[in-house]
Amino acid sequence: MVNHGSWESRGLGCRYKTFPKCQFFVCQLSHITVLHWPAFIMHATLKSFGLASILSVAGTSAASGGYVVGPTLQTDILAAAALGKLTLHAAQNRDTATCTLENVAIRREWWVPHYDPQCDQSLISRARGSLSAANRQAYTNAVRCLMEHPSLLDPLEVPGAKTRFDDFVAVHINQTFSIHGTANFLSWHRYFTYAFEQALRSECNYNGYHPYWNWGKYAHNPLNSPVFDGSSTSMGGNGEYVPHNCTDGLPTGLNCIPPGSGGGCVTTGPFANMSVNLGPIAPTLAAPGVVPASSLFTYNPRCLRRDISSWVSSNWTTDFESYDLISNYTDILSFQNRMQGDFATGFYGVHTGGHFTIGGDPGGDLFASPGEPAFYLHHAQIDRVWWIWQNLHPETRTNAIGGTITLNNFPPSRNGTLDDLLDLGVVGPAAGVLEIRDVMSTIGIGGGPLCYIYV
């Protein structure tokens, strides 16, 4: 019999329980259960944040089913501090938000490993934020459901959009030059991912919330990870091998990505043999048959291609890269620029690095990349990294904005502001057209419609 200890209070409205054999604490805050591991490291490391006890989702290297995950302790500690500070910030701003700890949605990680079998595995699964196998399949079933529902766009204007899934691709294509390298890059993609989540829930009966792909766990072996291993509980496998050249992932032509073991059609997992209908507009996969579409919205049916690259992920999406980004880029402009990459020096950054970990078509196309189903897991993690950065200093960072309204300020344009609009057209959720300020807080501080956290 495992000794599950006893509950005790340690501040922040949190009840803690010690699990001696498992070397962790569990914290329950309202209906949220969050894992602590190990206590002495947490206390020593987080003391610098001014929080003697903190909500935590800490990680370590572990093996499950033969797959070894990478350590994510560095960013998990930052996420722990962010969640704790957000809890305090929310308590001080309760009068401006209807989102509470009782009704907040919890976005969870796609997969986490099992630990010591003596531990309470069901509790660990809840605490670590893992989606169960059934919930992972429920998510991919809902995404495939969107691929079966008819488009709401005018077929005369967007003939290539045949499904609701395509509608999201078309909206992204249409706004590409005003949502990358811009002041609204983070806020627009936050709202876009939220809109996708809401479509899954309202149109396809998905009962969960949007999962995220924690890059650092799989950076050294993404191909065999639970995200891309081709199983029924993954996001599908790599493409079939076809001979191809290196992939110019950056417009500067630096650090051309070595050819991987894919490049062809995805034939395993939930998205085997799916039809991609829009794009590519700016293809990067150097494989036979991958050529630009004749126009932005033409109908161009083809298979989903991938060329999963550990060369990219091991260089630009490790846990250290995320930790360095969150810790050392303290103003919003340097943070978002570093995240998106420094192409002049050949640096991909976690944003471009995540996209080109998948690569292929349309995953490697700046315009049509939402046609790759894993796009949304990647951008949920982009949002999570921003969420951590914001909530380490919520008083000054929640509404931090920087940059202009054109791609890398070309052509030169005015600075973006919190008053700028986020208009997603036919894929917009019930909240409709919003100002950027409305999505800066994921818990609705200031009156916005969002109500979620990451664990």
Side-chain angles (χ1 to χ4, degrees):
M1 180 72 67
V2 177
N3 176 11
H4 282 178
S6 58
W7 291 106
E8 59 178 303
S9 296
R10 294 196 180 182
L12 292 180
C14 186
R15 297 192 311 153
Y16 286 72
K17 182 184 281 189
T18 303
F19 288 62
K21 289 187 178 180
C22 306
Q23 299 298 305
F24 64 76
F25 289 134
V26 162
C27 168
Q28 283 188 337
L29 180 66
S30 183
H31 71 297
I32 306 165
T33 304
V34 187
L35 180 68
H36 278 224
W37 180 96
F40 69 91
I41 289 180
M42 287 299 167
H43 181 83
T45 307
L46 298 178
K47 191 173 181 180
S48 62
F49 289 103
L51 298 169
S53 56
I54 197 68
L55 307 180
S56 171
V57 185
T60 184
S61 294
S64 181
Y67 185 84
V68 179
V69 300
T72 56
L73 183 61
Q74 288 180 300
T75 54
D76 288 335
I77 288 173
L78 296 179
L83 185 53
K85 289 200 169 187
L86 177 61
T87 302
L88 296 175
H89 186 62
Q92 296 163 359
N93 292 273
R94 240 180 241 281
D95 57 328
T96 62
T98 58
C99 181
T100 69
L101 290 172
E102 286 68 40
N103 65 11
V104 71
I106 300 174
R107 289 188 173 180
R108 302 181 183 278
E109 189 171 345
W110 182 252
W111 178 89
V112 294
H114 293 292
Y115 289 86
D116 189 334
Q118 295 187 75
C119 302
D120 183 337
Q121 292 300 316
S122 63
L123 181 58
I124 292 175
S125 181
R126 293 198 308 273
R128 290 283 297 140
S130 175
L131 291 187
S132 67
N135 286 338
R136 293 196 295 275
Q137 288 181 312
Y139 174 81
T140 55
N141 286 343
V143 175
R144 290 192 299 169
C145 163
L146 282 185
M147 296 176 182
E148 296 169 358
H149 287 198
S151 170
L152 298 181
L153 288 166
D154 184 341
L156 296 179
E157 294 182 1
V158 191
K162 302 300 182 182
T163 72
R164 283 294 282 152
F165 186 81
D166 293 338
D167 288 350
F168 284 85
V169 184
V171 167
H172 189 274
I173 288 174
N174 193 47
Q175 299 189 40
T176 291
F177 288 121
S178 60
I179 58 173
H180 298 96
T182 50
N184 68 357
F185 165 71
L186 290 165
S187 56
W188 191 95
H189 284 87
R190 170 174 284 177
Y191 194 35
F192 188 65
T193 304
Y194 173 77
F196 189 74
E197 173 190 81
Q198 295 305 300
L200 296 178
R201 289 173 57 81
S202 64
E203 300 178 40
C204 289
N205 300 314
Y206 178 57
N207 293 322
Y209 297 96
H210 210 283
Y212 61 92
W213 161 27
N214 194 347
W215 314 302
K217 278 194 171 67
Y218 318 115
H220 293 286
N221 188 9
L223 184 60
N224 296 304
S225 74
V227 183
F228 298 115
D229 64 10
S231 67
S232 61
T233 58
S234 72
M235 290 298 294
N238 197 14
E240 294 286 304
Y241 176 71
V242 297
H244 56 289
N245 294 323
C246 71
T247 296
D248 266 327
L250 304 182
T252 53
L254 299 176
N255 279 330
C256 197
I257 301 166
S261 59
C265 301
V266 172
T267 59
T268 58
F271 303 105
N273 306 312
M274 75 169 269
S275 177
V276 177
N277 295 327
L278 287 160
I281 310 304
T284 55
L285 179 64
V290 181
V291 295
S294 59
S295 64
L296 283 182
F297 301 119
T298 193
Y299 180 46
N300 183 29
R302 62 201 187 280
C303 72
L304 171 67
R305 291 175 179 248
R306 287 177 178 161
D307 189 29
I308 293 174
S309 174
S310 61
W311 184 83
V312 173
S313 60
S314 61
N315 277 292
W316 289 288
T317 68
T318 64
D319 194 59
F320 174 78
E321 290 297 331
S322 296
Y323 171 79
D324 177 65
L325 172 65
I326 296 167
S327 301
N328 296 322
Y329 294 83
T330 56
D331 66 277
I332 186 60
L333 195 56
S334 67
F335 172 80
Q336 67 192 23
N337 287 346
R338 179 73 173 181
M339 171 182 273
Q340 292 176 90
D342 182 358
F343 301 160
T345 64
F347 181 79
Y348 277 68
V350 295
H351 173 245
T352 309
H355 281 298
F356 281 99
T357 294
I358 307 166
D361 170 38
D365 179 6
L366 174 65
F367 293 80
S369 52
E372 159 60 65
F375 171 98
Y376 299 94
L377 266 71
H378 173 49
H379 268 278
Q381 173 71 353
I382 288 288
D383 186 60
R384 175 177 176 257
V385 169
W386 181 32
W387 178 87
I388 294 169
W389 183 88
Q390 284 183 301
N391 291 309
L392 288 174
H393 301 280
E395 300 84 1
T396 57
R397 291 183 178 177
T398 296
N399 288 319
I401 187 171
T404 69
I405 61 172
T406 50
L407 176 63
N408 297 330
N409 198 33
F410 183 81
S413 59
R414 66 169 175 83
N415 288 334
T417 73
L418 294 173
D419 299 323
D420 291 341
L421 299 181
L422 303 173
D423 185 353
L424 301 182
V426 299
V427 304
V433 179
L434 298 180
E435 294 179 350
I436 287 177
R437 73 175 71 254
D438 296 323
V439 301
M440 298 299 276
S441 167
T442 70
I443 58 170
I445 292 175
L450 306 185
C451 186
Y452 66 84
I453 61 171
Y454 289 96
V455 300

